[in-house]
Amino acid sequence: MGKTKKEPDFINGLGDSSRATMDLGVLAVDNDPGLFRKVIELSFTQSPPINMRLARVAQLCCEQHPELILPHLNEVIEKISVSKTDGVKRSYLKIINDYTGISCIEDPGLLLQICFDWLMSPSEAIAVRYHSMGILYQICQQIPEIKPELLSVIEFILESDQISPGMRSICLKTRKRLMK
């Protein structure tokens, strides 16, 4: 009788947030769609900081194998739309922004709405706002009618008293790219 592969213990195995620990999580998943699915599920059912570590493992897996997320994109978008954990939102937005793009999403309506909401919210983490803007920029490339709305939001943010230097820089760069 052959040996069965023991499923990794992602909850106890991710004892810290170091890159070395995250890389061990990525090695455990390898290119296994079932294990990747498990990481996604756990990232939305566990409490912080485990959920953030699991989302980071999913993100790092997608650096090498972005196709792993494709069957789960719609579900992930629905779940991040109600997530309260910045680290989870950031990791999945980064996957969409940097590794898959929006062309893989059949109906980007919900993603469009949450990205606008998060971009306009000064209480959101800079990384969440940054990736939201990147995704909105990509949507503008496919749906040019959205460009004036994004430009308007960028101007609104730039006029805010509460804008950080990093957010100002992101807004100015994106505005310049949209004006070309």
Side-chain angles (χ1 to χ4, degrees), residues 106-132:
E106 288 179 28
D107 181 9
L110 177 59
L111 183 63
L112 176 76
Q113 183 61 52
I114 62 174
C115 285
F116 268 120
D117 290 347
W118 290 339
L119 178 59
M120 290 188 61
S121 174
S123 63
E124 283 296 336
I126 293 290
V128 170
R129 295 176 81 191
Y130 171 83
H131 290 299
S132 292

Side-chain angles (χ1 to χ4, degrees), residues 18-86:
S18 70
R19 179 60 194 242
T21 301
M22 298 299 103
D23 286 344
L24 289 174
V26 172
L27 283 172
V29 172
D30 191 27
N31 194 14
D32 184 322
L35 289 177
F36 185 77
R37 169 91 184 136
K38 178 87 170 175
V39 167
I40 291 173
E41 288 172 3
L42 290 171
S43 73
F44 288 109
T45 58
Q46 296 300 303
S47 299
I50 296 297
N51 62 346
M52 293 183 286
R53 294 174 187 161
L54 288 156
R56 177 87 166 124
V57 168
Q59 174 201 321
L60 294 171
C61 285
C62 288
E63 279 184 6
Q64 298 171 0
H65 304 286
E67 68 279 0
L68 285 171
I69 194 79
L70 297 180
H72 313 288
L73 268 177
N74 290 331
E75 174 190 359
V76 164
I77 292 166
E78 286 178 27
K79 288 183 176 180
I80 63 170
S81 74
V82 295
S83 177
K84 302 292 184 213
T85 308
D86 286 336

Side-chain angles (χ1 to χ4, degrees), residues 154-173:
I154 289 170
E155 292 303 325
F156 176 79
I157 294 168
L158 286 169
E159 292 171 5
S160 170
D161 295 338
Q162 301 175 7
I163 188 170
S164 70
M167 195 67 212
R168 176 174 299 287
S169 175
I170 293 163
C171 286
L172 292 172
K173 287 177 185 175

